[in-house]
Amino acid sequence: MQSLIEFFEKETNKKINMFKYNNEKITSNQNLIEFNNTTYVIEFLKDSILNHVNGHCYLFNQQNLDFDSLKNILNNLYEDVQIYNYNNYLLLVSDDILDIDCSTPTIIESETYSKTYIIYLEKITNIDNLDFKINITNELIDIIINDSNTSKFITLNDLIMYKVTSIASNNKQISSLIKYDIIKNIDKNLLTTGINFIENDLNISKTSNMLFLHRNTLIYRLEKIKEYLNLDLKNFKDAFIFYLSVKSFLNFMNNYNS
């Protein structure tokens, strides 16, 4: 499908959206074509998204994007949304914030059998801002996918954190200030526990329930982190330094091993 879209974009010199025809009403910027005994809708994007994007935008990322299947699933889940094949993502635009959260990728994966990441770009009113946020996402998508601790629902705040840790791991001056030599020798379970504790709002009960750990085991691990790194994760500043240090370290190691 993607190669067919690229062919028509080259022939028409216009950005297009393309999907199987299901007897829906055809608008003025759409045309029908036959290909391999299947009818498709070609939708020229100039009059739809490129000039008139205005709404809450969600990017759906799958390694091998099956746009038609994913679009059908989302149309069954949500009403009054616009869906586009845009820059190798499925882009969903809605006038209102949708009930999309950390559980949504699991629902989609049960239908598509493909690992799914959703990036919520918040409300966007012009194409330049959309493309800017997509470019940032493109820079970070490999880091997001390689982060085994991450949720598959990514907010704009998450993108900021990923961008900051990416800068830290690639900046020699910042990297030289981080205790990589100590972090690399710490048991990964301790590091993962610390990250989850921070992502669960520094809440002992919430984190222990999520990790299926006894409360005392969690407290013991936090004390070991304090012993190794002199960072008390119940303190905001120490928690921030730990989060930045460990995330940038893991990003550095992923880049090193790739």
Side-chain angles (χ1 to χ4, degrees):
M1 175 68 76
Q2 188 60 37
S3 59
L4 194 59
I5 290 175
E6 291 172 353
F7 170 78
F8 280 109
E9 286 183 341
K10 184 176 180 181
E11 291 295 311
T12 62
N13 197 31
K14 293 181 179 180
K15 283 283 187 180
I16 68 167
N17 184 34
M18 188 171 177
F19 50 91
K20 288 181 182 177
Y21 178 58
N22 292 310
N23 295 317
E24 62 264 47
K25 183 179 180 181
I26 300 301
T27 63
S28 60
N29 66 313
Q30 296 175 332
N31 290 282
L32 298 180
I33 65 163
E34 294 285 335
F35 183 77
N36 285 347
N37 298 318
T38 302
T39 303
Y40 292 92
V41 177
I42 291 183
E43 179 180 53
F44 293 97
L45 294 180
K46 180 178 179 181
D47 295 325
S48 52
I49 183 170
L50 292 182
N51 286 340
H52 303 295
V53 60
N54 186 2
H56 295 271
C57 294
Y58 299 81
L59 290 181
F60 290 74
N61 172 270
Q62 293 180 334
Q63 185 173 7
N64 297 302
L65 179 64
D66 186 343
F67 175 79
D68 294 321
S69 296
L70 187 51
K71 179 183 178 182
N72 288 335
I73 292 169
L74 294 172
N75 276 329
N76 288 330
L77 290 173
Y78 307 105
E79 297 180 350
D80 300 322
V81 296
Q82 298 169 291
I83 298 176
Y84 308 94
N85 192 335
Y86 191 68
N87 285 6
N88 298 318
Y89 295 97
L90 182 147
L91 172 64
L92 184 151
V93 183
S94 171
D95 289 339
D96 302 306
I97 297 176
L98 301 174
D99 59 340
I100 295 177
D101 56 25
C102 298
S103 65
T104 310
T106 303
I107 296 171
I108 294 173
E109 288 174 354
S110 68
E111 297 287 336
T112 63
Y113 304 103
S114 181
K115 188 176 289 186
T116 304
Y117 292 85
I118 305 172
I119 301 93
Y120 174 45
L121 302 180
E122 298 189 356
K123 187 167 185 179
I124 290 176
T125 58
N126 63 79
I127 189 64
D128 290 336
N129 189 236
L130 174 62
D131 285 340
F132 170 75
K133 289 182 178 178
I134 289 179
N135 287 338
I136 295 294
T137 302
N138 287 338
E139 288 180 23
L140 302 172
I141 192 66
D142 287 341
I143 299 174
I144 293 169
I145 291 172
N146 287 327
D147 185 357
S148 59
N149 295 314
T150 191
S151 163
K152 293 177 184 175
F153 175 67
I154 310 299
T155 67
L156 210 56
N157 287 340
D158 293 321
L159 285 183
I160 293 171
M161 291 300 298
Y162 277 112
K163 183 64 177 177
V164 170
T165 55
S166 175
I167 292 171
S169 63
N170 290 289
N171 184 289
K172 290 183 178 179
Q173 289 181 321
I174 297 176
S175 295
S176 67
L177 297 173
I178 296 175
K179 299 175 181 178
Y180 285 157
D181 56 330
I182 299 177
I183 292 173
K184 70 180 181 181
N185 292 317
I186 296 177
D187 184 274
K188 191 172 182 180
N189 283 332
L190 282 182
L191 299 179
T192 300
T193 299
I195 292 295
N196 279 284
F197 177 65
I198 294 169
E199 292 184 342
N200 281 283
D201 308 318
L202 312 184
N203 186 299
I204 294 287
S205 297
K206 188 176 178 181
T207 308
S208 59
N209 289 336
M210 197 275 287
L211 294 178
F212 301 104
L213 284 177
H214 191 279
R215 179 186 180 91
N216 290 342
T217 303
L218 174 58
I219 293 172
Y220 171 79
R221 291 186 181 182
L222 297 178
E223 288 298 322
K224 294 300 290 184
I225 289 172
K226 184 177 180 181
E227 177 185 330
Y228 289 135
L229 293 170
N230 194 30
L231 294 173
D232 182 357
L233 300 196
K234 296 185 289 296
N235 174 279
F236 169 77
K237 187 183 292 185
D238 285 0
F240 174 77
I241 295 300
F242 176 86
Y243 194 88
L244 177 64
S245 300
V246 173
K247 285 285 190 176
S248 61
F249 169 74
L250 295 175
N251 181 39
F252 172 79
M253 293 304 297
N254 285 328
N255 289 336
Y256 179 80
N257 293 325
S258 62

